[in-house]
Amino acid sequence: MKYRAEVDGLRALAVLPVIFYHANFNFFKGGYVGVDVFFVISGYLITSILIKELSEKNFSIFNFYERRARRLLPALFFVMLISLLFSYNWLLPDQMKDFSQSLVAVSFFVSNFLFWLETGYFDLASEEKPLLHTWSLAVEEQYYLLFPLFLILVWRYKLNTVFLIILIISLFSFVLAELGWRYYPSASFYFLPTRAWEILTGSLAAMYLNKNGVRSNNYMSSIGILLIALAVFLFDQDTPYPSFFTLIPVTGVLLVILFAESNTFISKVLSSKFLVSLGLISYSAYLWHHPVFAFARIRTFHEPSSQVMILLICLSLILAIITWRFIEQPFRNKKNFSQKQIFIFAICGITLFSVIGVQGHKSWGFPERINGWSNLKDIPTAATSYCHTSGKRSTDQLKQKNFCLIGEGETSLAIIGDSHAGALFEYADQALKKRNISAIAQSGGYCAPLLNGFDAGNYCTNDLEIAFNYIINEKDIEVVVLAAEWGLYTSGFRENDPPGLWVDNLGKAQKPTDNKIIFERSFKETIASLAAANKKIIVIHPVPEFPERAYDWLGKSVLFGSYASVNLATAGLPLISIDEYFSRNNEVFNIFDTYLDGIKQIQVYDQFCDEYNCYQYDLDRNVLYSDSNHVNYSGAKLIINELMADL
């Protein structure tokens, strides 16, 4: 196969956008398409080699896998080893547990499956996963495993027939991708069946060029670069992907491969010494950049500045040069390492990282490595799991209605709401027992405690209808407490995502601004119906919601040895201003003012806020939240104690 310098230059144009995208430079919001550029290039290069060897009848599957092992594993294992050392010293136990799982998954090239199960590629949590970017390596390796075997099976047919078969498979994969982003977007993003068409596009290009050769066309090759650039600068995380839109960068790469003959302008640019040099180290640069960024974010607690990110990019490139020179190059030289030694190296590396990974998973992240970990007060637990969406601790009668019974004694109280209500149940159970009172507890994730079947199209409607009918008709239940993440139903999700469109049985919101109308209509009827049934109504105000978890911040302080001296009042823990709290819930409070005249409201912000800010912890270093928005046992105690004073 003739060496094409412009293809190495194209690798540079693939890796740079990915790096800038992961550095969170807004100008490169579509930089993730660099992965698609890599996919097409890989398909082209691998298929070109396979066609040559099959045509000359000197193809060996063992030689093929040996070359892949030489090319990929040494640098990958080196980055994994360094990442392991930093992870062991810098990650909290739950983070270390996740990292340990990724060690095993990466070793067997199935990390795309793991990260699909754990988190979305565009989620904020993904920025602190050092090996997240290896999902694309997993996709390529799965292709490397299957495609040579497939080509051996079909090579008996004419090349045109093989081309047609691959084209049909590519079209089928493309259709899967189009369906996938609509119905299973996360799986579609990570899995080979919906990505195969991109790699196979490169394979088709290789088969075409094997017969026809590269054409010289400045216009077509320039259009190719333009298409790649359009995707990089115009796409963002809301662009359906992979999908019809992915055709834009894939077609761009295809045009460059087909028409950037050595005398074209694009070929001369891509063949420049700078881009070719960057292309040569692109694999190592891709491997290094995400761990470097992730560990910087982990160690500094906050998103690094743009200036720091530029320095980290430079560090990634320096590490890439070192890795290419002293790891990649020596291992690719057959004089240094035989085929047998390469396979032994691969087996040993896979075994080592798998054993460490399994042990890290089983031990829940090696917690014993952190001195003083047990000194962190009130490590939050998921209080929402207690009596939340289940009939735990229910009597037989209430089990049939999917209710949970908390406390003990006469059942005169009902607490109903979404997961924010569920977060109160554990402490409420203890407080009610002291008062010899029991309460019906009903909660469900994203289930606003409202009549009219208020819902987002999930499981809430039926459960809420049963709960309210029972509560309204049961005379012994005198007090009804409503608690929820109220702002969710008017303003949407806290992470600045576009809000969902809510629905009640009188109509569905057609646009986000309709949510307030839907909410107000259902809230009005709920309050009126409970009042008509002579129920005492208590509405708990929403708790403050935060962008981060204080638990993570304090945990890192223990990990890095600064916990004993940290001043919580000035330490820069995640907080929000009091103005942010009221802005988030402005529409909710306006509705409360309209329909809760004379009805008891529990204002909780004074339990979590001073006159300037709202916090996730108290001055005794007790963390009050189990995550960024659900209170834990200590946080629930503040709210429930105030509730008990009104019973």
Side-chain angles (χ1 to χ4, degrees):
M1 175 184 172
K2 181 182 177 182
Y3 172 70
R4 296 182 61 183
E6 64 271 13
V7 173
D8 273 330
L10 195 56
R11 291 182 196 268
L13 296 189
V15 74
L16 286 177
V18 175
I19 292 175
F20 287 128
Y21 169 76
H22 285 145
N24 282 340
F25 289 163
N26 287 333
F27 201 52
F28 292 86
K29 287 186 176 180
Y32 55 84
V33 305
V35 171
D36 307 284
V37 178
F38 276 127
F39 282 161
V40 181
I41 293 174
S42 293
Y44 163 67
L45 294 175
I46 294 303
T47 306
S48 297
I49 294 171
L50 290 173
I51 290 175
K52 180 179 184 296
E53 293 183 349
L54 286 169
S55 299
E56 296 174 354
K57 297 183 179 181
N58 63 355
F59 173 75
S60 166
I61 194 70
F62 291 104
N63 290 340
F64 175 81
Y65 290 144
E66 175 201 348
R67 290 196 300 269
R68 291 297 88 205
R70 287 182 185 274
R71 176 75 174 93
L72 299 176
L73 295 186
L76 176 62
F77 286 169
F78 181 57
V79 172
M80 290 171 67
L81 178 62
I82 301 302
S83 296
L84 173 61
L85 296 176
F86 277 92
S87 296
Y88 191 84
N89 288 283
W90 285 7
L91 296 188
L92 297 174
D94 57 342
Q95 293 174 312
M96 187 65 197
K97 179 177 182 288
D98 289 343
F99 178 79
S100 297
Q101 293 172 343
S102 70
L103 284 178
V104 180
V106 173
S107 297
F108 289 97
F109 293 102
V110 291
S111 60
N112 53 335
F113 290 93
L114 175 67
F115 294 125
W116 163 65
L117 292 171
E118 286 186 347
T119 186
Y121 183 74
F122 299 107
D123 292 348
L124 292 178
S126 68
E127 295 184 340
E128 294 189 1
K129 291 183 179 293
L131 300 180
L132 175 71
H133 61 321
T134 62
W135 74 268
S136 64
L137 299 183
V139 170
E140 287 197 20
E141 279 298 316
Q142 290 156 21
Y143 162 81
Y144 297 150
L145 178 66
L146 298 174
F147 187 71
L149 301 176
F150 160 77
L151 211 54
I152 292 172
L153 290 175
V154 300
W155 195 250
R156 70 190 73 174
Y157 305 112
K158 293 181 179 180
L159 196 59
N160 288 344
T161 303
V162 177
F163 184 93
L164 181 61
I165 294 172
I166 294 177
L167 178 61
I168 292 172
I169 295 174
S170 301
L171 292 174
F172 180 73
S173 172
F174 176 75
V175 172
L176 281 181
E178 265 296 295
L179 294 174
W181 76 261
R182 290 178 168 85
Y183 301 105
Y184 304 100
S186 184
S188 180
F189 186 92
Y190 282 113
F191 289 172
L192 176 63
T194 49
R195 291 288 190 169
W197 69 273
E198 302 176 43
I199 307 176
L200 292 176
T201 297
S203 298
L204 292 171
M207 299 184 73
Y208 175 84
L209 293 180
N210 180 69
K211 184 177 181 180
N212 300 284
V214 181
R215 301 295 179 90
S216 177
N217 192 313
N218 275 306
Y219 294 108
M220 299 300 287
S221 57
S222 298
I223 290 173
I225 293 296
L226 177 62
L227 290 175
I228 296 172
L230 286 174
V232 169
F233 298 121
L234 297 183
F235 288 6
D236 58 28
Q237 65 182 34
D238 295 324
T239 304
Y241 223 80
S243 67
F244 180 84
F245 290 97
T246 314
L247 277 174
I248 296 175
V250 169
T251 302
V253 182
L254 181 63
L255 292 177
V256 173
I257 291 174
L258 294 180
F259 297 105
E261 203 269 336
S262 59
N263 64 354
T264 60
F265 171 75
I266 294 300
S267 177
K268 291 177 181 178
V269 172
L270 293 177
S271 300
S272 64
K273 186 174 182 179
F274 171 75
L275 289 181
V276 169
S277 298
L278 189 55
L280 290 174
I281 65 167
S282 61
Y283 175 60
S284 288
Y286 182 80
L287 288 178
W288 275 116
H289 82 280
H290 202 275
V292 167
F293 295 170
F295 287 122
R297 290 177 172 118
I298 289 166
R299 189 61 180 87
T300 58
F301 296 91
H302 302 293
E303 177 67 19
S305 66
S306 297
Q307 292 81 359
V308 171
M309 292 308 297
I310 291 174
L311 293 177
L312 293 175
I313 290 172
C314 293
L315 174 61
S316 299
L317 295 177
I318 292 171
L319 291 172
I321 294 171
I322 295 172
T323 304
W324 177 81
R325 175 65 181 84
F326 296 104
I327 303 294
E328 283 194 65
Q329 290 298 99
F331 273 92
R332 293 176 73 175
N333 189 336
K334 293 184 179 182
K335 294 180 180 180
N336 295 329
F337 299 96
S338 67
Q339 183 182 82
K340 180 180 178 180
Q341 289 173 322
I342 288 295
F343 284 138
I344 291 175
F345 169 79
I347 293 171
C348 290
I350 290 171
T351 302
L352 173 65
F353 289 116
S354 297
V355 169
I356 295 173
V358 169
Q359 188 57 38
H361 168 77
K362 290 174 64 177
S363 67
W364 208 274
F366 306 112
E368 68 281 355
R369 66 198 159 89
I370 305 175
N371 293 326
W373 178 253
S374 60
N375 294 332
L376 181 60
K377 289 186 179 181
D378 193 19
I379 294 177
T381 57
T384 54
S385 65
Y386 186 91
C387 262
H388 181 46
T389 69
S390 71
K392 181 182 176 185
R393 297 173 50 83
S394 300
T395 64
D396 288 339
Q397 179 187 7
L398 294 179
K399 276 183 179 179
Q400 295 175 6
K401 300 182 181 299
N402 232 10
F403 297 154
C404 182
L405 194 66
I406 57 177
E408 60 185 16
E410 181 181 355
T411 306
S412 60
L413 179 70
I415 304 176
I416 184 170
D418 58 17
S419 60
H420 281 218
L424 304 174
F425 292 163
E426 184 172 5
Y427 182 79
D429 177 63
Q430 304 301 315
L432 290 168
K433 284 179 179 177
K434 294 179 181 179
R435 298 283 294 272
N436 198 32
I437 300 173
S438 65
I440 289 173
Q442 169 67 34
S443 65
Y446 306 120
C447 295
L450 302 175
L451 289 170
N452 270 341
F454 191 86
D455 205 345
N458 53 18
Y459 55 86
C460 301
T461 303
N462 187 56
D463 288 350
L464 289 172
E465 183 179 355
I466 293 173
F468 275 112
N469 286 338
Y470 183 87
I471 291 167
I472 288 173
N473 293 312
E474 182 57 54
K475 294 182 180 180
D476 290 339
I477 298 178
E478 301 172 350
V479 181
V480 179
V481 180
L482 305 178
E485 183 188 358
W486 297 109
L488 172 68
Y489 309 106
T490 58
S491 303
F493 292 92
R494 68 199 73 86
E495 295 91 353
N496 296 320
D497 289 338
L501 298 180
W502 298 97
V503 59
D504 64 15
N505 60 17
L506 299 178
K508 179 178 180 179
Q510 300 301 311
K511 54 185 183 299
T513 52
D514 291 342
N515 284 334
K516 178 189 174 184
I517 299 172
I518 299 290
F519 175 81
E520 182 173 6
R521 184 168 62 201
S522 290
F523 187 82
K524 175 183 178 181
E525 180 169 340
T526 301
I527 298 301
S529 298
L530 292 173
N534 296 316
K535 307 296 181 183
K536 178 182 177 180
I537 305 168
I538 299 177
V539 176
I540 298 177
H541 281 199
V543 298
E545 302 162 66
F546 300 87
E548 303 172 71
R549 302 189 307 175
Y551 166 56
D552 287 345
W553 204 101
L554 293 176
K556 290 177 182 178
S557 296
V558 172
L559 180 62
F560 300 141
S562 60
Y563 178 72
S565 61
V566 69
N567 181 345
L568 296 184
T570 61
L573 274 75
L575 54 79
I576 62 169
S577 69
I578 194 72
D579 291 337
E580 288 179 274
Y581 171 75
F582 282 107
S583 175
R584 160 73 165 161
N585 297 288
N586 181 58
E587 293 178 331
V588 170
F589 289 142
N590 287 338
I591 292 171
F592 283 2
D593 290 343
T594 302
Y595 299 105
L596 296 182
D597 185 29
I599 293 175
K600 177 62 181 178
Q601 302 177 55
I602 295 182
Q603 298 178 341
V604 303
Y605 70 86
D606 54 352
Q607 302 284 359
F608 299 90
C609 311
D610 56 27
E611 60 181 313
Y612 303 109
N613 299 305
C614 300
Y615 307 90
Q616 300 181 52
Y617 54 88
D618 62 24
L619 293 179
D620 292 325
R621 301 189 180 212
N622 291 312
V623 179
L624 305 177
Y625 281 71
S626 62
D627 54 23
S628 65
N629 64 101
H630 293 91
V631 294
N632 62 6
Y633 188 89
S634 296
K637 182 177 181 180
L638 300 176
I639 299 171
I640 294 301
N641 283 347
E642 189 166 343
L643 172 65
M644 292 295 105
D646 289 296
L647 296 181

